[in-house]
Amino acid sequence: MLIEMVSLAAPTGAAFRDWIITVAGIFFSVILVLRSLQYYAAREWGTFFGHIGVSVVVAVICFATGAFVNVLTTIGQLILGTS
């Protein structure tokens, strides 16, 4: 009689962490876009474009985390001269 051994891995919480990061990213992006619309209506162009830029950066950090980490790693390697 063959008995299959099943190895259960301990949960890491990675899926929950990713979900929290996604929800936080959506929340901050919505707030930044709404604030940008207020600045657009008030014709405050510098602050408007600043908020749009920050909302793009927040979206990239939250939704393309791996690519963002790779960019930061590459920049760090260029500055420090390591490979």
Side-chain angles (χ1 to χ4, degrees), residues 11-26:
T12 61
F16 183 68
R17 181 195 66 218
D18 292 341
W19 181 79
I20 292 293
I21 289 172
T22 301
V23 169
I26 291 169

Side-chain angles (χ1 to χ4, degrees), residues 3-60:
I3 299 175
E4 292 185 29
M5 298 297 288
V6 176
S7 174
L8 297 176
T12 61
F16 183 68
R17 181 195 66 218
D18 292 341
W19 181 79
I20 292 293
I21 289 172
T22 301
V23 169
I26 291 169
F27 179 73
F28 284 121
S29 295
V30 166
I31 288 175
L32 288 170
V33 168
L34 290 176
R35 299 273 320 252
S36 296
L37 292 174
Q38 289 176 338
Y39 292 125
Y40 175 77
R43 307 269 190 222
E44 296 178 10
W45 300 113
T47 311
F48 168 72
F49 288 118
H51 269 73
I52 293 295
V54 170
S55 64
V56 168
V57 170
V58 167
V60 168

